[in-house]
Amino acid sequence: MARPFLSSMSNALNSSESLIGQAEVLSRLEQILCEGRAQSILFLGPRGSGRHSLARAAAKALLCEEPHTALRACDHCPSCRYFEAQAHPDFKEIDQGEDKVIKVERLRRDVLADLPMKPQISRVKVTLIDGDVLNEQGQNALLKSLEEPPAGTIFFLTGERSDVFLPTILSRSVLISPRLLTPEEIRELLHSRGFEEENEIALSFSAGIPGRALELAGDERVAALREQAVMVLTSCPELNPLQSMEKIQPLLSESKEHWLLFLDFLQSALRDLALLLAESDTKVSFRLLNEDKRGELRAFLQKMPQDCPARRLDAAMQGLISLRKAEAAHVNFELASWQLQLLLTECFEAKGEKYGKSHRSATPRAGESLVF
């Protein structure tokens, strides 16, 4: 059975993995912690970048009785055992829980009310907060505590982007951002997790994000999703929306993450088509994300209508980006599949072709019609 895509438990980075390729970041963070000059640290980076694992490693070391370094706990003392058992009295981790956002009442009850209390077994108290689900009201509730925290209290926040945080939060925090990994470092990570065979999909599509590489390598549906994405594109406009949906839907398992990944694979194929088109003009060879599909993509490029091919590819890419944004919030697989196939048909059918036009009056539209 395929493992679920985006499983936070199976694909979360452990503390040693979160340190791969982060020498400069670790040096800066260690200096900050040793000097004690920051009482709020904001770990910024894409989901899967190791920001959360890095924050937990730092918290564990700060609470440790005999740490090896500012970022490496001993793993044996009572404090470390409490931390691993999620029972450390001086560590609080505030995440989404059962709510869409971290409610102000919860912050007041679980964080702010405890601030006057001194650490119970460690030198400091550490509170780790998921900033991606901390709205403006929650951030405002934390402001005074971040500005004037009690002695021995340190706040760690994590987030994907800085622009979701209030300027006042940013000004009171030191920013730490794990860097993206090289393909060699991604390969090292995969091998450490037991992925012995070369996983080209994980290497090509992880974008240097270690957690994403593990997700891609660990889900058996991923390869099939990419195969179907290339097939849906290169078979256009021969496939009608119903045929397309029948081929795609069994792989999606009602999963928004799988659907968005499918759209990512489609975008990568369109990008590769644009590179192949440029190759024909410049006689220069480019490395494709889907290098193993070069033959299929080149064959599709040759059978594409040759009037304004670059414009057709650009229109398909822009339409796909718009569709992805719309579907990121809510997925209706049947509607989305119709919209996707209509988009591809409009972009890649030849002028004057009648294929697919009989379907359009009875099916939903994906934004404005693309006319060439």
Side-chain angles (χ1 to χ4, degrees):
M1 180 180 295
R3 284 184 281 179
F5 188 67
L6 301 179
S7 167
S8 60
M9 294 301 294
S10 62
N11 296 319
L13 299 178
N14 61 43
S15 57
S16 62
E17 291 169 345
S18 67
L19 308 184
I20 293 176
Q22 305 297 333
E24 292 184 10
V25 173
L26 296 175
S27 176
R28 178 168 178 258
L29 177 58
E30 188 166 10
Q31 182 179 7
I32 291 169
L33 294 175
C34 288
E35 294 176 355
R37 57 186 173 89
Q39 314 225 227
S40 174
I41 299 178
L42 175 54
F43 295 83
L44 280 178
R47 193 177 63 83
S49 64
R51 65 189 188 193
H52 180 260
S53 299
L54 188 57
R56 283 185 59 87
K60 183 178 179 180
L62 282 171
L63 298 169
C64 177
E65 295 176 13
E66 297 180 2
H68 297 295
T69 69
L71 291 173
R72 186 183 170 200
C74 74
D75 290 328
H76 302 298
C77 70
S79 178
C80 287
R81 293 198 295 270
Y82 283 134
F83 189 92
E84 290 302 321
Q86 301 182 31
H88 200 295
D90 298 323
F91 177 71
K92 291 182 180 293
E93 183 167 358
I94 310 299
D95 55 20
Q96 183 174 354
E98 298 179 355
D99 301 311
K100 292 183 178 180
V101 299
I102 299 173
K103 295 183 177 180
V104 172
E105 305 84 69
R106 184 177 168 208
L107 287 173
R108 289 171 177 162
R109 180 187 69 244
D110 295 343
V111 178
L112 303 182
D114 184 61
L115 285 180
M117 304 292 292
K118 293 183 177 180
Q120 297 185 42
I121 65 173
S122 297
R123 298 175 297 104
V124 296
K125 295 193 304 181
V126 181
T127 299
L128 173 58
I129 301 175
D130 182 355
D132 285 331
V133 287
L134 188 65
N135 60 17
E136 185 174 342
Q137 290 77 17
Q139 293 182 45
N140 278 319
L142 285 175
L143 272 179
K144 182 174 177 57
S145 299
L146 294 181
E147 187 173 16
E148 300 175 359
T153 297
I154 298 178
F155 286 95
F156 288 169
L157 291 88
T158 62
E160 185 166 357
R161 306 189 325 270
S162 61
D163 59 1
V164 302
F165 291 94
L166 296 174
T168 44
I169 292 285
L170 296 176
S171 67
R172 289 163 173 75
S173 303
V174 174
L175 306 186
I176 294 290
S177 296
R179 74 167 181 83
L180 301 178
L181 303 189
T182 65
E184 290 72 24
E185 290 164 343
I186 291 291
R187 192 176 286 111
E188 175 189 347
L189 171 64
L190 294 178
H191 286 171
S192 73
R193 281 292 187 99
F195 297 106
E196 297 300 336
E197 296 183 6
E198 194 79 347
N199 193 308
E200 289 298 329
I201 294 179
L203 290 172
S204 296
F205 291 92
S206 65
I209 301 172
R212 182 171 175 83
L214 291 174
E215 291 167 353
L216 292 170
D219 191 329
E220 297 167 10
R221 293 190 186 94
V222 167
L225 280 170
R226 188 181 67 119
E227 291 288 338
Q228 290 300 315
V230 174
M231 182 278 300
V232 166
L233 177 60
T234 57
S235 299
C236 176
E238 286 83 1
L239 285 179
N240 64 39
L242 181 59
Q243 292 171 321
S244 175
M245 183 171 61
E246 288 175 346
K247 291 179 176 295
I248 300 169
Q249 199 154 359
L251 296 168
L252 299 179
S253 304
E254 300 300 312
S255 164
K256 181 175 74 173
E257 288 80 11
H258 276 108
W259 173 244
L260 295 178
L261 180 62
F262 177 80
L263 296 181
D264 284 344
F265 285 142
L266 267 177
Q267 283 185 249
S268 76
L270 287 171
R271 168 199 175 273
D272 287 349
L273 285 171
L275 289 178
L276 288 172
L277 184 62
E279 281 186 1
S280 63
D281 293 334
T282 63
K283 308 302 181 182
V284 176
S285 180
F286 298 101
R287 172 73 180 178
L288 306 183
L289 283 172
N290 302 280
E291 187 62 41
D292 59 326
K293 301 295 181 183
R294 177 180 286 268
E296 296 172 51
L297 294 171
R298 184 178 293 281
F300 174 69
L301 191 64
Q302 292 171 348
K303 77 176 183 179
M304 264 180 58
Q306 295 305 301
D307 55 305
C308 304
R311 187 180 172 198
R312 288 175 179 271
L313 290 173
D314 182 64
M317 179 66 82
Q318 295 305 316
L320 193 58
I321 291 172
S322 297
L323 178 61
R324 194 188 191 287
K325 288 180 180 178
E327 294 302 321
H330 176 72
V331 174
N332 179 318
F333 292 111
E334 184 174 358
L335 174 61
S337 182
W338 279 102
Q339 291 176 323
L340 173 61
Q341 196 61 38
L342 286 171
L343 167 67
L344 297 178
T345 300
E346 287 184 343
C347 289
F348 297 118
E349 68 181 357
K351 288 183 178 179
E353 281 189 357
K354 298 300 182 183
Y355 180 87
K357 295 189 185 298
S358 60
H359 298 285
R360 297 184 184 180
S361 61
T363 54
R365 301 303 299 268
E368 295 183 358
S369 175
L370 300 169
V371 180
F372 297 90

